[in-house]
Structure formats: C-alpha cells, structure tokens
Amino acid sequence: MLALYLAAMAGARAEPGQLWMLALLVLLLGVNDPLYIARVVMGGNAPMYAASVLAQILFSGGLFLFWLVYADSMAEAEAATPPPGCLRLFPKLALVGTYVGVSAAMFLLHGRVPDRINVTDAEGLGDSVQRYLVYALSASVVAVGVWLSVLIARVIRNLGWKKVEYIYTEREKSFVGITMVFVILWLSGHVYRAVHGRRGSWMQLQMPFLTLTNSYLGMLAHAFWPGARGDGAGAGQEGDDDESAKQQGLLEEDAI
C-alpha cells in the first residue's frame, strides 16, 4: 500500500492530508511488525520486541495527532479569524507527546499494560510510580477522545447535519464516518476483552485489531488518494459548480 501511495504521489502536488497519510503508512510498517518471523525463528529477541511495541506506540500517537489536527481544521474552516497555526498545534503536540512518553515509559519499566500491570497490588515507591503512570496514560487517552468529540460536535453544531452534507468535501465526510466506525469497533473489542478476556487474551485479539487497523488506514488512504475528486482545493471549477448546485438545491428545499 505504501509503495502504491508513493507512486501515486510522484506525479501530483502533495497536500497536507496526503503527507499525513504517507507518514501514517510508514508508521503502519512498524505496527505490522515485519521482523516477527525473525523473532520466532530466533526463539525471541527482546530488543526487536521492544522496537515493535514502541513502533505501535508511535503509530497510535501519530494517529491521535492526525485526528485532532484534521478535525480542528474542519471546525475552524467556518471561523472568521482562526487562531495562528502554532497556537492550534502546540496543545495537540503536548497532549499526544504526553501520551507517547507515558506509554513508552510504561512499557520500558513494566511491560504491556494489559498483561503485567496490576494497580490494586501496588506497594512501595516503584508500584506508586507504576500507578501514576497508569493514571497519566488513562487521562491522556481520555483527553484525546474528549477533545476529538468536542471538535466534531463543533462542526455539526455550527452547520447542522444538513449543511454538513452539502458544505464539506467527500474527503472530510469520509474521514468523520470512517473514523467513527473504527473507534466504535476498537472500543467494542476492548470492552469485550475486559468483560470476557483472561490473561493472555491479547494475543487472541491481536490479529483482529491488526486487521481492523490496516483496513482503516486502507480506507483513509483511498479517501486521501492523490488526484482524487475529494480534494477541497483540487476539485477545480467543476467542483465549485457542483457545490453551487448543491447549495441551490438546499435553498430550494428550504423554500418549499
């Protein structure tokens, strides 16, 4: 998928959304763990395993940052005077950086959270640090979810569902719809695991989660494909005429 995307970008002017997709596809290589077979043949390799998990953390951090930045650009599109880009980007970088740093520290100090962390048995200084890392990790993930929900709610509140259908591009609508389905399925998998899973069940669910992640990135890459008609600025005059026709149809429906 990465090779095809690079080939498609070769003859087109890269846009910010497409650069985001390229970065996420590169990080997805680490999530897919191309060295897994080598680890199995070697009977296990701690540095290679650590590199694989850290690549997953970086991918999730990059995905969170992409969600926040793109949703914020949609929310600010209707603002008369949007704030400077640096002021909008720095809080997102700080939040996602906190998540990545805490997740990496959690793994390097205590291993995977689902398998090796038991907060209720914490005793002593080391275990209290362990507990605070769990709290910080949970708070950062919840903060990303709440922030993203607020941004999407602002988009819908400012325009209404009907105007969202007519004003935003197919690419933006695809981003919202695909991401909502992905998040719902991901949370459903974790809820199922929390209710019905036992120790080691992460290995049983790892392949479905990996398939879900690859499918989500594949659909996003298709929505952000270079030269696709979902481009906001690249749609040209024909896209503007289509948008005007849609707006006119909306006005006629309101008049009726």
Side-chain angles (χ1 to χ4, degrees), residues 14-241:
E15 299 179 0
Q18 293 163 358
L19 294 177
W20 274 108
M21 284 300 102
L22 184 60
L24 290 175
L25 289 174
V26 171
L27 293 175
L28 186 63
L29 289 177
V31 176
N32 290 328
D33 196 3
L35 299 178
Y36 176 77
I37 296 178
R39 288 211 321 267
V40 173
V41 172
M42 296 171 60
N45 184 284
M48 293 170 64
Y49 173 70
S52 173
V53 175
L54 293 176
Q56 296 175 27
I57 293 172
L58 286 176
F59 171 79
S60 59
L63 190 60
F64 289 162
L65 187 59
F66 167 68
W67 286 350
L68 293 175
V69 170
Y70 199 77
D72 185 54
S73 68
M74 293 175 61
E76 296 293 343
E78 301 300 317
T81 56
C86 57
L87 295 180
R88 294 163 54 187
L89 184 60
F90 179 76
K92 302 176 183 63
L93 282 174
L95 176 58
V96 174
T98 300
Y99 161 78
V100 171
V102 171
S103 300
M106 174 73 71
F107 169 72
L108 294 175
L109 293 176
H110 304 291
R112 282 186 177 275
V113 175
D115 296 332
R116 302 184 185 179
I117 297 297
N118 189 346
V119 180
T120 59
D121 294 337
E123 295 179 0
L125 178 62
D127 290 328
S128 69
V129 172
Q130 187 181 94
R131 185 167 57 250
Y132 291 138
L133 286 174
V134 172
Y135 294 158
L137 178 61
S138 302
S140 62
V141 173
V142 170
V144 170
V146 171
W147 197 347
L148 182 63
S149 301
V150 169
L151 291 174
I152 297 299
R154 283 178 57 192
V155 172
I156 299 172
R157 184 198 64 188
N158 292 342
L159 297 175
W161 277 112
K162 198 171 185 180
K163 288 187 177 181
V164 166
E165 174 66 24
Y166 282 90
I167 289 178
Y168 286 108
T169 64
E170 292 299 324
R171 174 173 295 171
E172 292 166 337
K173 290 183 286 187
S174 296
F175 162 74
V176 174
I178 295 171
T179 301
M180 288 177 62
V181 172
F182 171 76
V183 171
I184 291 172
L185 292 176
W186 185 273
L187 291 177
S188 298
H190 279 289
V191 170
Y192 175 83
R193 178 177 175 275
V195 174
H196 301 287
R198 293 185 176 89
R199 183 181 180 87
S201 62
W202 169 250
M203 295 302 298
Q204 301 173 6
L205 292 176
Q206 192 170 14
M207 185 58 68
F209 278 125
L210 191 60
T211 303
L212 175 63
T213 303
N214 279 268
S215 300
Y216 171 69
L217 257 292
M219 289 186 288
L220 268 188
H222 179 268
F224 284 82
W225 199 260
R229 288 199 55 185
D231 298 355
Q237 184 63 35
E238 184 180 353
D240 295 339
D241 294 339

